[in-house]
Amino acid sequence: MSPGMLQSQLGQASRKINVWQAELRGAFWMAILLVVLWILSLSDLLLHYPRPGRVVAWALFLTGIGAALPQLWIIVNRRRSVFATAALIENAFPQLDNHLINYVQFSAQPVDSALQAAYLQRGVPEWNGINLREMRQWRVYLRAYLVCLATILFVIAPYFWIGDAWTRAVRRVLNPFSNVQPVTLASLVSVQPGNTTLVQGEALNIACVVRGQKGQKVFLDLWPTDDKNSTVIMGELPETGRQEFTHRLPKVSAKLAYRIRAGDAPPSARYQVEVNAPLAFSAIALRVSPPAYTGLPTNEVDALAGTAAVPVGSRGEVRVKCNHPLASATAAVESGTPETLASKDQGFQWVGSIPVSSGQVIRVAVTDRGGATLKNEIKFQL
């Protein structure tokens, strides 16, 4: 065998050794990652992580993969000199009796002695009797694969006790962006009214539908801005199945937030209740334009302050402003046909013209965007 051919075979042997070492290290990392996955899945099963917690668990698992892959890549692509490879093989096969390493060293130097020439001419006949696969130490690899098999069974085993709850926990860890929900003894089907807006002083009815096992309690968490945070027990499931629960807040005077918790189910979203002041008039004005024959000037009266003097035949311009944006506003003399007022500032101020030839009252009616209505009267004397 020529030195060049032996060096080529040593290069192939080095690559094989790299693959075998990577195989062993890969089995080690696989066992570690499976144990990490089991721990993360168990924690999600018990704690029901929200999405941020699932993302953190997923990131930890990816960190383990990120630590394993570079190591395996380095091991597979490790480069050895022919001397290092020969020494590694000599250590595994004592029967070579240093012939391989001596041959490699002599072949790398100029032939300057008869002893060196004779050694090279002899070659390494023992090399052909070497089976490199014996370097794999099958007992070590067998133990490694048995450990991997044991960890796989370790990860699968909880399924046989708790069924789909375990597979859901594993899926929630491996894909934190999915909408897979954990298996719980209770589940929150719906919450009403969700986010809403009330008029200050109104009552608020909060309702929810819960499905689950008998005895699961339902809680209402409240975060008012004008009082201390509190938790109310809405009730508990009297039997396995579906049940509706309600709680009434008789008077809501300030903005608040709330959520509902049912047994071990994930809590509902944190809903916001906005509170608006009751609909009220900020201003009502009557601009009176007397007939031309009277020679009287145009006059504007604060209708909330008193009674307006209106010459017969005048035309009145009604101006209305409220503390909320309005959806509509009308004005009518006595019980006549209402005139629709118009707004040019997104519903805060409304203006309309109405003839005044009889009566003593202009009736103003407004409706805000929430459906609340309010009425007032502009009193006048002809």
Side-chain angles (χ1 to χ4, degrees):
M1 179 185 296
S2 66
M5 183 178 296
L6 180 61
Q7 289 186 10
S8 176
Q9 291 182 358
L10 287 174
Q12 294 176 6
S14 178
R15 289 189 289 273
K16 285 184 179 179
I17 292 170
N18 288 347
V19 172
W20 294 337
Q21 291 180 344
E23 182 182 354
L24 192 62
R25 183 61 61 87
F28 165 79
W29 273 109
M30 181 178 179
I32 293 295
L33 289 173
L34 286 173
V35 171
V36 170
L37 177 61
W38 186 90
I39 294 172
L40 294 175
S41 300
L42 178 63
S43 63
D44 180 73
L45 179 70
L46 298 175
L47 302 177
H48 300 155
Y49 290 136
R51 194 177 300 275
R54 291 167 60 192
V55 171
V56 171
W58 176 67
L60 289 174
F61 186 69
L62 288 186
T63 300
I65 296 176
L69 292 180
Q71 283 194 20
L72 297 180
W73 187 87
I74 291 171
I75 293 173
V76 169
N77 293 278
R78 179 183 294 158
R79 293 191 177 187
R80 297 183 185 86
S81 66
V82 291
F83 305 107
T85 304
L88 193 62
I89 295 173
E90 286 271 10
N91 186 58
F93 299 99
Q95 63 268 34
L96 290 174
D97 195 25
N98 292 329
H99 290 163
L100 179 61
I101 187 65
N102 290 338
Y103 183 87
V104 171
Q105 289 176 339
F106 284 148
S107 65
Q109 301 172 2
V111 179
D112 55 3
S113 68
L115 177 61
Q116 183 180 0
Y119 205 98
L120 291 175
Q121 187 175 4
R122 175 184 179 277
V124 189
E126 299 87 356
W127 172 253
N128 294 325
I130 295 300
N131 182 4
L132 285 177
R133 293 189 65 84
E134 295 179 9
M135 294 183 66
R136 294 189 75 227
Q137 299 179 355
W138 66 270
R139 287 187 177 85
V140 175
Y141 283 81
L142 178 61
R143 285 196 296 269
Y145 283 116
L146 287 176
V147 169
C148 283
L149 179 60
T151 53
I152 291 173
L153 294 175
F154 184 61
V155 171
I156 295 175
Y159 173 79
F160 298 100
W161 276 273
I162 57 177
D164 188 51
W166 180 250
T167 57
R168 283 174 176 260
V170 174
R171 289 166 58 195
R172 281 165 54 83
V173 170
L174 294 179
N175 183 6
F177 305 104
S178 70
N179 293 320
V180 177
Q181 296 298 316
V183 174
T184 57
L185 296 176
S187 61
L188 195 55
V189 178
S190 64
V191 176
Q192 294 294 335
N195 296 318
T196 189
T197 300
L198 300 177
V199 174
Q200 189 176 36
E202 284 187 342
L204 173 64
N205 292 314
I206 299 174
C208 67
V209 176
V210 177
R211 182 173 52 241
Q213 301 293 319
K214 177 181 178 180
Q216 297 296 302
K217 292 185 177 181
V218 181
F219 301 91
L220 171 63
D221 296 326
L222 296 169
W223 292 277
T225 57
D226 62 343
D227 203 349
K228 295 180 179 179
N229 300 342
S230 62
T231 297
V232 177
I233 299 178
M234 299 181 72
E236 68 177 56
L237 287 169
E239 58 185 17
T240 299
R242 183 185 178 111
Q243 180 74 32
E244 182 175 1
F245 298 88
T246 60
H247 183 76
R248 179 180 175 84
L249 299 176
K251 184 178 181 181
V252 179
S253 56
K255 178 180 177 181
L256 64 86
Y258 73 93
R259 75 174 179 187
I260 292 178
R261 294 181 287 117
D264 60 346
S268 72
R270 185 163 170 163
Y271 297 108
Q272 302 294 325
V273 178
E274 300 292 337
V275 176
N276 292 332
L279 180 62
F281 289 106
S282 301
I284 301 178
L286 178 63
R287 184 181 179 85
V288 179
S289 299
Y293 72 85
T294 64
L296 297 174
T298 299
N299 184 32
E300 184 167 320
V301 179
D302 180 358
L304 293 176
T307 302
V310 179
V312 176
S314 298
R315 190 154 194 87
E317 183 182 79
V318 178
R319 297 177 180 269
V320 176
K321 187 174 182 180
C322 290
N323 58 343
H324 298 172
L326 300 177
S328 65
T330 61
V333 176
E334 297 291 351
S335 56
T337 302
E339 297 286 341
T340 300
L341 309 185
S343 175
K344 296 182 180 180
D345 62 352
Q346 301 180 341
F348 283 94
Q349 182 168 294
W350 295 71
V351 180
S353 182
I354 185 171
V356 182
S357 57
S358 63
Q360 295 181 327
V361 172
I362 298 175
R363 305 185 190 279
V364 177
V366 298
T367 303
D368 71 8
R369 295 173 183 176
T373 60
L374 188 64
K375 297 180 180 180
N376 208 330
E377 295 180 346
I378 303 175
K379 295 180 181 181
F380 63 89
Q381 290 182 346
L382 294 174

